[in-house]
Amino acid sequence: MSFLRFAARRLAEMAATLVGASFVIFGAMYLAPGSPASFLLAGRSASPEALAAVNAQYHLDEPFLLQYLRWAGQILHGDFGRSITYRTDVSRLLADRLPATLLLVAMALVLVVTLGLLLGWIGAVRGGRTDATVLVGTTVAVGTPAFVAAVLLQGLFAVRLGWFPTGGTGEGFGSMVWHLVLPAVALALYLTGMLARVTRAAMLDVLGQEHVTVARSRGVTEYQVIRRHVFRNALGTVLTTGGLIVSTLLVCTVLVETAFSVGGIGQLLELSTTTKDFPTVQAISLIMVGLFMAVNLIVDLLHPLVDPRITLGARKATG
Amino acid sequence: MTTLAIQAYRLHLPNTARPVLAGVDLTVEARETVALVGESGSGKSLTSRSALGLLPTGAGTEGTVRVNGDDVLTMTGDQLRALRTGTAAMIFQDPRAAINPLRRLGDFLTEGLNGRLAAGAATERAAEMLDAVGLPASVLGRYPGQLSGGMLQRVMIAGALMGDPALILADEPTTALDVSSQAEVVALLDDLQERFGTALLFVTHDLGLAAAISDRVYVMYAGRIVETGPAEALFNRPRHPYTAALLASTPRPDAPGGRLAAIEGRPPSLREALTGCPFAPRCPLATFLCTQQEPALLAVEAESARRAACHHSDRTGANDG
């Protein structure tokens, strides 16, 4: 399949997914108990006139479909509406908070990829006691939920040792990185364990294949055998989990940002959900969906580079 | 100097009742083609792989395996790498499994040199070797999945030639190919062996093919050499019942009755210890002596280098057509 046809098909698919997702996200407001208007008035008893005014201001008196179309049309123009809690534009809120979340996810991703691949490599190649240690370590990592890791890290490195702040976001890039070290570690722990296990299993699988023996029989050094044949061939499997890893990172920012009071969109999602700030929840949900799709698209585009047997748009390797 | 000299070579594996190789003696002279024939599990692949120092994990060895005079079994890691990148090279059975499917064939060819040439010179040499096996230089940029099995085996052969080896070990190089590719690969090996003056150890289960390509043949059974001699003589008049049985089971259009003669029974398992001749349970000529005493590999004809390990070698092949 040509790249253009692939791109066109994927864009159409992504547009359709976004439309579907936005419909569900918008409709969820109606599935939540109570009417939107009563949430907007936050339980205060209101006169029928006040209720009517709120309904008119937020167009709640119009049919559902019309409301949805109005909302979707605004989003297409870059307008996510006004936050009920913060009384500012949602797009401003997001612009303020997105950098912290993106930096947090990027830092955690670097940790996951470097440590996960390294541990998986060492476990598969060394074997014996080293491998057993890696297995125990990754089992503990996989079994520790992010919020437990967050509390433990805060207790040890922030409260007891005082190396890092207990929470907050910090001002400026350097301070932000420093504030986000512990959150990134908490976020990365589970996924590092998972990636290490996936890498180890994939490399062990390749180690048993004949072309590895053949490479050794041709006098290729052991390090090159591992790097060019074993690790190289395990990358396809690793990349497949890569999409899952980034998606999980995004979702878990909600927990970790809340635990460390990081002012990112994860924390904002948690806050606006508890305060029923519908426009904000809807905007963040939609952005999450968009990010998921972008990550999956990147993984699909990278696959043919890692495995020449895979062509764009084909599901299975041929031959 | 003898290119490959294997002497009194024994190889044990953990959890087996008998040695996998029980005293193998085999030589390949410079520029000579020697065939090593036997059923699956006879130890022929292990023997040829030993010449590169490729031993299964946990293997224990006795005896010597010398390539150009140096004992492979006592080599250090660096010496082994030098042997594998220069002196000796192997062609494997299934090129699809033997070549990494994710890397370009140019990388496969040049990596066997392990940095002995600069990148440009290595690529040039790779193109030369591809030309020698009848493939265009454009193959350098291709992936294994883009070539047929026969073409891929040619790439494998070109890869073996990269280091200008004195010895090529071919481990059933035609078994995984279709018939026309088989003939091409055999003809190519024969041609290249002449041209580059390498010694060739050709491992196969096909006695007919062995006779066609080689100067001398070794027949292996249960980790032992049971018969050896010049290809033609051995083919025309086998002196070991196992060789005779192998010949009889080779499909031939002129076979009497048009039926294949399968060898009764199966080769002994590694889990049982052996007494007497290992072939005795399947042998039509076996006597009480055969079950008690293992026959030594002895000369059977004074005038030629023929040897057989059989108590009844004078009775074998007498009535074979």
Side-chain angles (χ1 to χ4, degrees):
Chain A
M1 184 180 295
S2 76
F3 182 78
L4 276 181
R5 269 192 63 192
F6 173 77
R9 203 186 74 187
R10 280 304 294 259
L11 277 178
E13 278 175 13
M14 285 172 72
T17 310
L18 261 186
V19 169
S22 65
F23 199 80
V24 171
I25 287 166
F26 190 80
M29 186 169 125
Y30 282 83
L31 292 175
S35 76
S38 67
F39 285 130
L40 290 173
L41 293 166
R44 284 167 290 170
S45 58
S47 62
E49 293 80 34
L51 200 61
V54 166
N55 276 338
Q57 186 194 342
Y58 287 91
H59 307 286
L60 293 173
D61 46 356
E62 291 172 5
F64 172 75
L65 206 59
L66 200 65
Q67 287 186 47
Y68 168 75
L69 288 176
R70 184 191 302 281
W71 175 72
Q74 281 175 347
I75 286 174
L76 283 179
H77 290 95
D79 178 9
F80 286 97
R82 279 178 73 81
S83 160
I84 297 164
T85 318
Y86 296 92
R87 309 213 175 268
T88 55
D89 284 349
V90 171
S91 41
R92 275 242 11 213
L93 273 180
L94 292 178
D96 286 349
R97 288 166 167 266
L98 207 52
T101 300
L102 290 181
L103 183 62
L104 174 61
V105 168
M107 285 170 68
L109 190 61
V110 168
L111 281 176
V112 169
V113 171
T114 48
L115 287 179
L117 293 182
L118 192 69
L119 287 174
W121 176 312
I122 290 172
V125 172
R126 292 282 171 84
R129 195 163 290 186
T130 316
D131 190 26
T133 312
V134 168
L135 272 181
V136 171
T138 53
T139 306
V140 171
V142 169
T144 311
F147 59 90
V148 174
V151 171
L152 290 176
L153 288 168
Q154 264 172 336
L156 184 60
F157 292 103
V159 176
R160 182 77 65 88
L161 295 168
W163 293 353
F164 296 101
T166 46
T169 319
E171 294 289 324
F173 185 74
S175 165
M176 213 185 226
V177 169
W178 187 50
H179 276 82
L180 290 179
V181 169
L182 288 185
V185 172
L187 192 55
L189 193 67
Y190 162 79
L191 289 166
T192 304
M194 193 192 81
L195 184 63
R197 287 176 154 249
V198 169
T199 309
R200 175 183 170 277
M203 284 182 73
L204 284 179
D205 182 42
V206 182
L207 266 172
Q209 290 174 10
E210 195 184 329
H211 65 83
V212 175
T213 312
V214 172
R216 287 195 183 118
S217 84
R218 302 179 74 223
V220 180
T221 59
E222 187 61 19
Y223 171 73
Q224 295 291 8
V225 169
I226 300 296
R227 193 173 70 88
R228 292 184 185 163
H229 294 270
V230 180
F231 183 68
R232 172 74 182 74
N233 288 34
L235 270 185
T237 316
V238 171
L239 185 64
T240 308
T241 50
L244 186 69
I245 284 173
V246 179
S247 310
T248 312
L249 279 178
L250 284 170
V251 171
C252 288
T253 53
V254 178
L255 289 171
V256 171
E257 285 183 7
T258 306
F260 284 95
S261 337
V262 174
I265 61 166
Q267 187 201 35
L268 182 62
L269 180 63
E270 199 269 341
L271 288 174
S272 46
T273 309
T274 45
T275 57
K276 314 286 182 202
D277 188 352
F278 283 115
T280 313
V281 174
Q282 286 164 346
I284 294 176
S285 306
L286 209 55
I287 283 178
M288 291 255 182
V289 171
L291 285 173
F292 286 165
M293 290 194 306
V295 167
N296 281 319
L297 179 67
I298 291 170
V299 168
D300 283 356
L301 287 175
L302 285 178
H303 250 135
L305 296 181
V306 170
D307 189 340
R309 292 170 299 180
I310 298 173
T311 48
L312 281 178
R315 298 221 92 117
K316 273 246 157 185
T318 49
Chain B
M1 196 189 320
T2 306
T3 307
L4 174 64
I6 298 177
Q7 278 180 331
Y9 181 43
R10 297 171 72 84
L11 189 145
H12 310 257
L13 287 178
N15 307 318
T16 53
R18 63 175 175 89
V20 189
L21 300 178
V24 173
D25 288 282
L26 182 151
T27 58
V28 183
E29 302 295 332
R31 295 173 167 267
E32 191 185 25
T33 301
V34 169
L36 182 57
V37 184
E39 284 171 287
S40 316
S42 60
K44 54 190 196 303
S45 284
L46 265 181
T47 305
S48 68
R49 286 180 183 221
S50 295
L52 281 175
L54 280 179
L55 302 176
T57 41
T61 59
E62 292 163 45
T64 55
V65 177
R66 292 181 192 280
V67 176
N68 272 356
D70 302 320
D71 190 0
V72 173
L73 300 177
T74 57
M75 280 186 179
T76 63
D78 283 344
Q79 287 171 322
L80 269 181
R81 263 196 295 284
L83 168 84
R84 293 169 181 177
T85 52
T87 320
M90 185 165 242
I91 297 162
F92 289 81
Q93 180 174 345
D94 182 0
R96 280 250 185 268
I99 301 179
N100 189 341
L102 304 191
R103 304 184 66 220
R104 288 179 200 278
L105 291 167
D107 295 335
F108 168 78
L109 289 171
T110 53
E111 105 175 322
L113 290 171
N114 204 10
R116 291 198 317 168
L117 290 178
T123 309
E124 216 167 280
R125 169 122 188 117
E128 248 172 69
M129 291 304 112
L130 281 178
D131 184 55
V133 299
L135 291 176
S138 60
V139 167
L140 288 173
R142 300 252 183 155
Y143 290 98
Q146 297 170 314
L147 266 62
S148 72
M151 284 168 87
L152 215 49
Q153 192 61 302
R154 285 164 182 264
V155 175
M156 186 88 224
I157 294 170
L161 292 171
M162 283 296 284
D164 195 17
L167 172 68
I168 289 184
L169 307 144
D171 189 358
E172 306 228 13
T174 60
T175 310
L177 306 177
D178 61 69
V179 182
S180 62
S181 308
Q182 280 181 14
E184 277 174 33
V185 164
V186 168
L188 179 68
L189 272 177
D190 206 27
D191 174 45
L192 292 173
Q193 193 248 346
E194 294 260 309
R195 229 169 104 190
F196 291 89
T198 50
L200 177 64
L201 179 66
F202 194 94
V203 177
T204 177
H205 60 261
D206 185 342
L207 199 50
L209 181 60
I213 192 175
S214 62
D215 306 315
R216 286 189 299 125
V217 176
Y218 287 87
V219 180
M220 217 169 170
Y221 187 78
R224 296 151 174 82
I225 302 291
V226 294
E227 181 168 6
T228 174
E232 203 172 327
L234 191 135
F235 192 74
N236 288 334
R237 190 155 184 265
R239 302 307 298 262
H240 192 286
Y242 177 62
T243 316
L246 266 186
L247 273 174
S249 65
T250 305
R252 269 178 298 176
D254 58 342
R259 292 195 50 169
L260 285 179
I263 308 177
E264 298 272 319
R266 62 184 58 176
S269 128
L270 282 173
R271 276 185 234 100
E272 47 192 280
L274 297 174
T275 49
C277 174
F279 190 59
R282 302 169 77 184
C283 182
L285 300 177
T287 57
F288 181 69
L289 175 67
C290 300
T291 62
Q292 296 302 307
Q293 193 189 334
E294 188 182 341
L297 188 64
L298 298 172
V300 287
E301 278 163 30
E303 76 279 10
S304 71
R306 294 203 61 183
R307 287 180 294 161
C310 179
H311 293 304
H312 307 293
S313 59
D314 50 337
R315 279 165 55 200
T316 309
N319 52 359
D320 192 79

